[in-house]
Every structure is written in structure tokens, then in C-alpha cells.
DNA sequence: TATTGTTATACTCTATAACTATA
DNA sequence: TATAGTTATAGAGTATAACAATA
């Protein structure tokens, strides 16, 4: 899950590859979806951290920013639910975004338990840059796929995890 | 990357879902491959831990077992390279498998720096059960996909992460 | 000098549980 | 009683760096 994955792997951190003498037998691994998802996740993660200028931002925090921009005042439980992040973990992520000055919590006057999340002007500015970097990062990673193939890949992935029906987006 | 993900999420751990009042706007998230890979990874992870009888075993350790069975005497650097796990992390994983009595390190006589990994009889027995559980778990997760679609999904995923060319497997 | 494996340390993500305040 | 949010704590995964033994 990685979720997310390692800590500061901006540069390809692992040790130099040794001579590969003979190819190894992968047995059933290549037939397992989990095996490929894991590798894809690692590749995406590595390119994400090296593509995003702001080292403090991880994919989870990016998603929070996007949802907060598109849904001003969204509350933490909604974010938790949509992003499949525990509410206790969400607190820490929002704490960090607030410490960076990118978002603000605003207590709701109707239901004083709730705190809506709002982007600050600074957050909006930074998110704009982030989005550009991340779209570029995605393009780099998926450049071997045609537009149709990418859509097909996403569509197949959506069928293996439970989620709310998506509204059509062009 | 998450790889792997949380700690002990055998039971759907997170809090009860609250009423979803109005659908939220996901903005660009649904167009991002990383967003879907992350969700798929989480879904796979959750089902993995609830499907595998042995709670000590994670997907990384499972892969090590499979490769050690198919390639007796494989060395840690090869495992690290193939599974994209740092060699220092690999040590800990092998330590745990050895403590469980499932694998053995055997010092090579030609190159005394190297230690080949070998399954024990116990390890072979347990791996047999594990494989059955994991094949079943994969079937459950991918049951919405036809055989062709699953092959297509895997093939598309393979094109977004760097890897050695695979030998054909039927 | 380079490689294999190891130890030690630290950081991130996430889960769990107990808690506050509001409803 | 239930919900939104918080705090505290712990565990897994991984990275980094330094190291020992061997080549």
C-alpha cells in the first residue's frame, strides 16, 4: 500500500543490481494480479516522488487537496470514505496540510462536531502546480499505452475494487 | 508501497460508513492511474489478509517462498532484485521465515559470502496450503473478469513497470 | 575495490482503542 | 446512543548508512 510506500526514495535508492547469472523461475507469480499490482504501485510511487517538487506531498495528501478544492467544506469522514483512509490517519494528514498552510479546518455552525476542509489561497496555488506535475508524471508512466488502452486498464481496475458508481466524466 | 499496506486489517477495520448525503466531485482523480492502482491495491490487500490462514504471511513473504521453492538455493540479492525489495528489508523478511522454520539459509561453499535460501519440509507443506488460499483469493477478487480480460489487465500492467522479459508461461 | 549479507536507526503509513464534544 | 474528530500507541514496510566477511 501501499499505499503508499517508502520514505524518501526520490532517487532510485536500492543497491546496484548484481550480475543476473541465469533467469529465475517465477513460478505462479506472473499469473497473480497482486504481483503485478504491487510492481505497478512501486513504479508509480518511485516516479511520483521524483516528479513532485514538493517533497512533503504524497499521493494521499494530493487526493485530499483535489477533493477539498472540488468540494469546498468537505468533511473528514467523507474524505476518509472516498479515499479509503482511516479517520484517525486522516487527522494526521490534514494536520500536516494545515501546518503547511494549504488547507483550513472550519467548524460548521449547523453541526458543531463537523469541520469543513477548505483550501487556502496558497493551497490553491500549490495544487495548481501539483496537478501539472502529476498529470505529467502519469503521462510519463503511461506513455507506452494508447489512450484507449489506458482507459481500458482503468476500467478493468475499477471492476476489481468496490466503489460507488462514478459520475460520467469526459 | 506500499507495498504492502496496513498491519492487522483482517477484519474490515475502519469505522462504520456514515450516511453519504450527496455524491462528491472527484475532479481529476478518476483519470489518474495511480488513484485506481491504489484502490485496487487496498482491495487486494484486505482480501489477502482475510483469505490467508497464516497471519504472519504477507504478500512479500509469500513471493519469497514461491521463488525459493522454484529456485532452490536462490540468494537474497536475486530475491531483492526480482521482488524490488531492498536487501536490508529482505534480511528481516528471511529472518522471520527462518524463525517460523519455513526456510533455511545455507552458506555457499564456492562463494562464502552467499547464502542460498532453501525451503524446509515444513515450508514446502505450508506453501502448498498458501498457494491454494492465494489462488482462491485471486479468483474471488477477479471473478468479475473473464479469463481474457484478466490476461489483458495483467498485460497492460506489465507495460507500465520496468521488468525483465518474462518467459512464456501457459 | 566490489559484493553479500547484516545491524542499527528512523520515518511513513496505517490500525486500534480510548477519549471529547456534540448531536 | 451515535457521530465527528482527536490523541496516543503500536506495528509493518521500507530507506539509509555503516559495517564484517569474502571475493
Amino acid at each position: 500500500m501501499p499505499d503508499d510506500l517508502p520514505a524518501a526514495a526520490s532517487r532510485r535508492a536500492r543497491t546496484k543490481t548484481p550480475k543476473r547469472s541465469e533467469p529465475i523461475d517465477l513460478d505462479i507469480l506472473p499469473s497473480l494480479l497482486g504481483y503485478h499490482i504491487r510492481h505497478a504501485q512501486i513504479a508509480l510511487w518511485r516516479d511520483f516522488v521524483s516528479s513532485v517538487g514538493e517533497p512533503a506531498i504524497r499521493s494521499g495528501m494530493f487526493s485530499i487537496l483535489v477533493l477539498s478544492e472540488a468540494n469546498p467544506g468537505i468533511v473528514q469522514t467523507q474524505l476518509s470514505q472516498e479515499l479509503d483512509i482511516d479517520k484517525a490517519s486522516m487527522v494526521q494528514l490534514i494536520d500536516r496540510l494545515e501546518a503547511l498552510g494549504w488547507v483550513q479546518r472550519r467548524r460548521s455552525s449547523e453541526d458543531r462536531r463537523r469541520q469543513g476542509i477548505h483550501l487556502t489561497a496558497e493551497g490553491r496555488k500549490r495544487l495548481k502546480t501539483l496537478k501539472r506535475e502529476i498529470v505529467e508524471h502519469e503521462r510519463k508512466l503511461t506513455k507506452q499505452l494508447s489512450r484507449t488502452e489506458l482507459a481500458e486498464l482503468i476500467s478493468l481496475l475499477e471492476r476489481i475494487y468496490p466503489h460507488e458508481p462514478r459520475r460520467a466524466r469526459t
Side-chain angles (χ1 to χ4, degrees), chain A:
Chain A
M1 238 179 315
D3 267 15
D4 277 330
L5 283 172
S10 336
R11 341 98 245 195
R12 210 63 191 338
R14 289 153 323 103
T15 321
K16 211 164 279 92
T17 44
K19 64 200 171 289
R20 166 68 72 88
S21 38
E22 28 169 344
I24 67 180
D25 181 358
L26 297 177
D27 196 66
I28 61 166
L29 295 185
S31 73
L32 301 178
L33 180 60
Y35 175 76
H36 298 283
I37 291 279
R38 183 172 177 282
H39 276 295
Q41 166 97 328
I42 290 173
L44 277 158
W45 167 259
R46 292 225 173 93
D47 195 72
F48 184 97
V49 295
S50 70
S51 301
V52 168
E54 189 58 64
I57 295 303
R58 299 303 149 78
S59 61
M61 291 165 79
F62 170 71
S63 298
I64 292 171
L65 290 171
V66 170
L67 294 184
S68 302
E69 183 191 44
N71 308 270
I74 189 172
V75 294
Q76 293 181 204
T77 39
Q78 286 180 297
L79 290 169
S80 292
Q81 188 184 346
E82 176 54 41
L83 301 178
D84 223 341
I85 294 174
D86 187 89
K87 63 175 183 167
S89 309
M90 184 57 69
V91 171
Q92 301 173 50
L93 295 174
I94 307 267
D95 280 351
R96 267 189 278 170
L97 288 173
E98 206 169 26
L100 289 169
W102 296 17
V103 306
Q104 268 189 345
R105 289 172 163 104
R106 289 196 213 141
R107 185 73 66 179
S108 157
S109 48
E110 304 125 41
D111 183 341
R112 297 194 37 73
R113 293 171 303 180
R114 303 184 143 218
Q115 300 199 67
I117 309 300
H118 298 263
L119 282 194
T120 63
E122 175 71 8
R124 235 181 306 278
K125 205 181 81 186
R126 302 302 203 104
L127 179 54
K128 208 169 156 188
T129 307
L130 272 180
K131 276 185 171 175
R132 206 165 41 225
E133 290 171 340
I134 280 162
V135 166
E136 178 53 33
H137 141 73
E138 286 259 337
R139 181 151 38 218
K140 203 190 316 168
L141 257 288
T142 60
K143 68 170 184 290
Q144 313 235 38
L145 306 183
S146 72
R147 179 185 292 261
T148 313
E149 287 171 327
L150 178 56
E152 171 74 1
L153 173 53
I154 287 177
S155 162
L156 287 166
L157 285 172
E158 282 193 309
R159 287 168 61 194
I160 70 157
Y161 68 88
H163 61 283
E164 307 283 319
R166 305 271 179 242
R167 277 163 313 303
R169 287 191 68 82
T170 47

